Amino acid sequence: MLKLNVKNETSRLRAVVLGTAKSNGPTPSLGEAYDPKSAVHIKAGTYPVEADMVKEMEAVATIFKKYDVKVYRPELIEDCNQIFARDIAFVIDDVFVKANILPDRENELDAIQYIIDQVSAEKVIRPPEEVHIEGGDVMPWNDYIFVGTYREDEYSDCIVARTNVQGVEFLEKTFPNKKVKSFNLRKSQTNPRDNALHLDCCFQPIGTNKAILHKEGFLEEEEYEWLLNYFGKENCFIISKEEMYNMNSNIFSISEDVIISEKNFTRLNTWLRDNGFTVEEVPYAEISKQEGLLRCSTMPLIRD
């Protein structure tokens, strides 16, 4: 059996689900795009090809092997995008939560059922139907659960709004021992530079007391300020709109001092090294064209 344990974003990683880009399917039509960044690349004819994305994901698998992390991959579904393992489920403490995702992605959950079967049945939960929640919006941080949401009236018309207010309430009820802190995110169906698809597109804690933040990703300035004060301004790396667009906050921590980052994130990677982190650089620019990066494609199961 798998003894799950995830209390935060940065404790030493022991087991993880890494998505797969194999049999990724044809380039979607514009009408099939789930997010504005994919739409930009579909229109421009620069949507990523399978071979490039497979290569990028294997670079991450190699880093995990280097650090002796047990890696699980989804079973292959023909012509299906299974890159973003974080969307479909998440672990808090020792509980495996199946996300209520966009209905036509349901088979992605079936592809990791063999992993779920190794978890004690009473530790696997699925929220009720009215609860919308995706792993990219959910960040366990010790006593806290940070959660991205969209509180505006047009939630139901907004495909880029992924976690609703009921999702926040579900976390509060399910984890009563945690302080659930929600953040209202800026959404745009048409402009990827104004769209925080998930919380990890504009914020991520790193190390023990630091964070990467993008101010404009938050609709309410006081919520951004809360994070800035919580971590301390001197401990925060503030990213620009262009860096947010390129997914600079969507890196991934193997431990409190080892981070996997995209090799083109020059300013961020320099700052990380200056602050004592070991940075394992990988190519991930093709995958980022789908408005997701390293955190989006990984779903931790066990951390120390």
Side-chain angles (χ1 to χ4, degrees), residues 2-140:
L2 270 174
K3 286 198 180 345
L4 303 177
N5 185 54
V6 177
K7 297 206 179 319
N8 57 49
E9 291 287 310
T10 63
S11 290
R12 177 64 160 92
L13 183 71
R14 300 297 174 185
V16 68
V17 180
L18 174 65
T20 180
K22 290 176 182 169
S23 193
N24 199 54
T27 298
S29 69
L30 214 43
E32 292 170 324
Y34 290 133
D35 65 88
K37 193 171 180 185
S38 291
V40 164
H41 288 287
I42 293 165
K43 271 188 210 158
T46 52
Y47 193 80
V49 299
E50 182 180 310
D52 291 340
M53 294 190 292
V54 167
K55 208 180 292 176
E56 289 184 344
M57 297 200 83
E58 290 317 306
V60 176
T62 301
I63 302 291
F64 284 143
K65 193 174 180 184
K66 174 181 172 180
Y67 286 91
D68 201 25
V69 175
K70 169 79 174 160
V71 178
Y72 294 87
R73 308 299 289 266
E75 290 174 341
L76 221 52
I77 304 166
E78 289 296 315
D79 293 335
C80 176
N81 186 336
Q82 295 177 269
I83 292 169
F84 299 119
R86 182 79 64 154
D87 291 354
I88 61 175
F90 54 91
V91 174
I92 296 177
D93 291 343
D94 60 351
V95 178
F96 188 98
V97 183
K98 293 180 176 184
N100 283 340
I101 41 178
L102 300 167
D104 53 357
R105 294 186 63 188
E106 192 67 27
N107 57 351
E108 289 180 59
L109 260 174
D110 299 337
I112 60 165
Q113 188 59 47
Y114 82 96
I115 304 164
I116 300 168
D117 288 342
Q118 297 174 55
V119 178
S120 179
E122 71 271 13
K123 293 293 184 183
V124 179
I125 59 174
R126 186 93 193 244
E129 205 176 320
E130 69 277 6
V131 170
H132 298 173
I133 194 162
E134 291 189 359
D137 276 324
V138 180
M139 291 191 182

Side-chain angles (χ1 to χ4, degrees), residues 264-292:
N264 294 302
F265 294 170
T266 313
R267 193 174 79 90
L268 171 66
N269 294 345
T270 301
W271 182 86
L272 290 170
R273 290 186 175 111
D274 287 349
N275 279 273
F277 292 96
T278 297
V279 181
E280 295 285 358
E281 294 187 0
V282 292
Y284 233 58
E286 291 304 303
I287 283 169
S288 89
K289 291 176 179 179
Q290 298 177 76
E291 210 157 339

Side-chain angles (χ1 to χ4, degrees), residues 171-186:
L171 290 173
E172 288 170 339
K173 282 188 204 121
T174 310
F175 301 96
N177 58 324
K178 301 278 188 184
K179 292 178 271 196
V180 177
K181 177 78 179 160
S182 68
F183 302 90
N184 200 18
L185 302 181
R186 187 177 303 281

